[in-house]
Amino acid sequence: MSDVARAAGVSSQTVSRTLSGRGAVSEATRQRVLDAARELGYHPDAHAQMLASGASRTVGVLMVGELSHGRMHSYVALERVEHLRGQFVISVTAEPDDPDSLDDALQYLDAANVKSIVLLGQRSDAVDRLLPHVSVPCVVVINTAVTSAPCSRVGIDQAGGVHATMDHLSAAGWRRPVAIVPAGYDVDA
């Protein structure tokens, strides 16, 4: 940061205020600092900012069970939105039938000081086991009901989607549509 301050002809505190967006800095000074930072390839250290402010800019994603096509799309969409908001995303996986795996995943996210957790799950029993131990705001993305601790839930109406698809195909004149689904148990299929 001192190199940026020297190149811009300002104090380190002015660089800090400019890059954090906190405090008053004139537009001309702000632009000099940003230009100097760009020329020097300087990027603020997210960990240092978190320690200094005490605020996390990291969302944790806990994927419980197999990563299906639908959950992968949900993850990618979340990653893109959080990036646009200037946030970071870290992810961890856990096995739904392994309590140690679930505990380890939550401990990892807790140690990472995430500000919130998004649970991407297939089975409500695993999510129900996890939720009482979550200490930050949480959103559950799952296709089944969640009965435990209060949290926000995002669900996908699989049956409604199939009905809408069939209605569309029927209206288009298709009389014998075929569905190809994966073998074995897949709640998203």
Side-chain angles (χ1 to χ4, degrees), residues 9-184:
V10 299
S11 69
S12 292
Q13 291 84 0
T14 300
V15 172
S16 178
R17 283 194 313 272
T18 301
L19 297 179
S20 70
R22 296 187 192 107
V25 178
S26 74
E27 182 56 34
T29 300
R30 185 182 83 74
Q31 195 56 55
R32 278 199 330 269
V33 169
L34 294 176
D35 290 344
R38 188 172 27 286
E39 288 172 19
L40 294 171
Y42 177 80
H43 300 282
D45 184 319
H47 295 292
Q49 286 179 329
M50 185 179 73
L51 288 172
S53 70
S56 175
R57 291 177 37 209
T58 305
V59 174
V61 176
L62 173 47
M63 293 179 250
V64 180
E66 296 297 319
L67 184 59
S68 69
H69 182 74
R71 276 183 294 290
M72 189 63 218
H73 277 282
S74 296
Y75 177 81
V76 170
L78 171 78
E79 172 75 33
R80 287 178 180 156
V81 167
E82 292 304 319
H83 175 75
L84 291 173
R85 295 177 59 216
Q87 306 298 305
F88 301 97
V89 175
I90 61 170
S91 62
V92 63
T93 60
E95 293 300 321
D97 294 318
D98 182 353
D100 290 335
S101 174
L102 296 168
D103 288 343
D104 289 347
L106 279 180
Q107 288 175 13
Y108 176 82
L109 293 175
D110 188 48
N113 193 34
V114 297
K115 69 177 189 171
S116 60
I117 295 176
V118 176
L119 287 170
L120 294 176
Q122 285 178 302
R123 296 184 14 212
S124 62
D125 60 329
V127 172
D128 286 339
R129 278 196 303 270
L130 280 168
L131 286 177
H133 307 287
V134 174
S135 59
V136 295
C138 181
V139 174
V140 177
V141 180
I142 193 167
N143 295 337
T144 58
V146 176
T147 59
S148 59
C151 63
S152 299
R153 177 183 170 272
V154 176
I156 301 167
D157 182 3
Q158 299 285 2
V162 169
H163 286 287
T165 300
M166 297 309 291
D167 289 345
H168 172 77
L169 292 174
S170 179
W174 292 91
R175 297 294 171 239
R176 296 180 62 187
V178 174
I180 300 174
V181 297

